């Protein structure tokens, strides 16, 4: 089934945060009410673009997968609907180990493959796309330090946790792409 879109955006081969960065820019060229089709190959884009759209007030219509390409459809909202918000509570990479050792948990929201090839020892993996369904695995009384590759997904995840009643949530910046500490791997 071919879905009509007012504009297409090619994000194939790009990893987080680039599909969101390119989509933000492309939204300036789309009129209110029009639909943009984002073509991506990064599986993480499914959760990322949906969360970003909802966070800024655009309507995420859905996703179709065809021949290894993920087609996202987003309807642009009016300009007065939503300003992109950044999650206020942040900590830096170099603080997270010390803070977590005092009873907090490091929540890694990257995709399973990203986690498998390098993560912080003791961190919990819940990919962004599974977060809503796995909230019961987290303790609302515990400090949660959310990390991803660049801080974009973790920002969205931290906001989502806060919206669900988690009050001790922090976005870890700048994320695993700039991590200088030790990493663990899952050897298969």
């Amino acid at each position: 089934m071919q879905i009509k879109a007012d504009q297409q955006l090619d994000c194939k081969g790009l990893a987080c945060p680039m599909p969101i960065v390119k989509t933000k820019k492309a939204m300036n060229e789309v009129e209110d009410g029009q639909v943009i089709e984002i073509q991506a190959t990064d599986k993480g884009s499914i959760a990322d673009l949906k969360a970003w759209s909802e966070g800024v007030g655009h309507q995420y219509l859905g996703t179709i997968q065809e021949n290894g390409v993920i087609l996202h459809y987003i309807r642009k909202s009016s300009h007065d609907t939503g300003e992109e918000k950044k999650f206020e509570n942040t900590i830096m990479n170099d603080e997270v180990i010390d803070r977590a050792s005092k009873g907090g948990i490091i929540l890694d929201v990257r995709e399973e493959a990203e986690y498998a090839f390098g993560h912080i020892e003791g961190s919990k993996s819940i990919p962004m796309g599974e977060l809503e369904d796995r909230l019961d695995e987290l303790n609302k009384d515990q400090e949660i330090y959310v990390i991803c590759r660049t801080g974009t997904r973790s920002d969205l995840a931290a906001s989502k946790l806060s919206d669900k009643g988690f009050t001790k949530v922090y976005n870890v910046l700048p994320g695993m792409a700039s991590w200088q500490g030790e990493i663990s791997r899952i050897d298969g």
Side-chain angles (χ1 to χ4, degrees), residues 24-81:
K24 279 188 212 179
K25 190 173 183 180
M27 281 302 208
N28 294 328
E29 308 300 318
V30 178
E31 299 293 323
D32 292 346
Q34 288 188 324
V35 174
I36 186 169
E37 173 189 272
I38 299 99
Q39 304 159 358
T41 49
D42 178 21
K43 287 189 165 88
S45 69
I46 296 170
D48 297 348
L49 285 168
K50 184 174 192 294
W52 173 79
S53 297
E54 292 168 354
V56 297
H58 297 307
Q59 182 183 7
Y60 188 82
L61 301 173
T63 303
I64 296 174
Q65 295 190 37
E66 293 179 346
N67 303 321
V69 176
I70 304 160
L71 305 174
H72 302 272
Y73 294 91
I74 301 173
R75 183 180 165 275
K76 183 175 180 178
S77 67
S78 64
H79 291 290
D80 53 16
T81 304

Side-chain angles (χ1 to χ4, degrees), residues 120-145:
I120 299 169
E121 180 69 36
S123 61
K124 180 170 186 64
S125 173
I126 301 180
M128 176 72 180
E130 299 174 17
L131 187 58
E132 189 112 20
D133 295 332
R134 295 177 61 186
L135 291 175
D136 61 337
E137 296 178 32
L138 301 170
N139 180 347
K140 286 188 178 183
D141 297 323
Q142 189 174 34
E143 287 192 350
I144 301 173
Y145 307 102

Side-chain angles (χ1 to χ4, degrees), residues 4-186:
K4 182 189 176 302
D6 298 289
Q7 184 173 329
Q8 285 81 31
L9 178 64
D10 185 353
C11 293
K12 295 186 290 285
L14 301 178
C16 179
M18 291 313 296
I20 292 173
V21 170
K22 285 189 77 172
T23 300
K24 279 188 212 179
K25 190 173 183 180
M27 281 302 208
N28 294 328
E29 308 300 318
V30 178
E31 299 293 323
D32 292 346
Q34 288 188 324
V35 174
I36 186 169
E37 173 189 272
I38 299 99
Q39 304 159 358
T41 49
D42 178 21
K43 287 189 165 88
S45 69
I46 296 170
D48 297 348
L49 285 168
K50 184 174 192 294
W52 173 79
S53 297
E54 292 168 354
V56 297
H58 297 307
Q59 182 183 7
Y60 188 82
L61 301 173
T63 303
I64 296 174
Q65 295 190 37
E66 293 179 346
N67 303 321
V69 176
I70 304 160
L71 305 174
H72 302 272
Y73 294 91
I74 301 173
R75 183 180 165 275
K76 183 175 180 178
S77 67
S78 64
H79 291 290
D80 53 16
T81 304
E83 189 69 26
E84 184 170 11
K85 301 173 206 97
K86 290 285 185 187
F87 193 72
E88 291 180 14
N89 297 336
T90 62
I91 68 168
M92 302 308 289
N93 278 3
D94 56 2
E95 301 174 77
V96 75
I97 296 292
D98 184 51
R99 293 277 299 268
S101 69
K102 296 176 179 149
I105 181 174
I106 300 169
L107 175 62
D108 193 320
V109 295
R110 296 175 300 153
E111 293 300 306
E112 286 180 8
E114 292 174 282
Y115 183 83
F117 288 106
H119 59 273
I120 299 169
E121 180 69 36
S123 61
K124 180 170 186 64
S125 173
I126 301 180
M128 176 72 180
E130 299 174 17
L131 187 58
E132 189 112 20
D133 295 332
R134 295 177 61 186
L135 291 175
D136 61 337
E137 296 178 32
L138 301 170
N139 180 347
K140 286 188 178 183
D141 297 323
Q142 189 174 34
E143 287 192 350
I144 301 173
Y145 307 102
V146 189
I147 195 165
C148 70
R149 191 172 75 81
T150 62
T152 302
R153 276 178 281 185
S154 55
D155 183 84
L156 297 168
S159 294
K160 184 173 290 239
L161 288 171
S162 180
D163 291 346
K164 296 294 183 180
F166 290 82
T167 58
K168 300 174 182 177
V169 180
Y170 299 85
N171 182 19
V172 181
L173 297 174
M176 292 301 292
S178 300
W179 183 254
Q180 299 296 312
E182 292 184 31
I183 61 168
S184 295
R185 292 169 125 52
I186 296 175

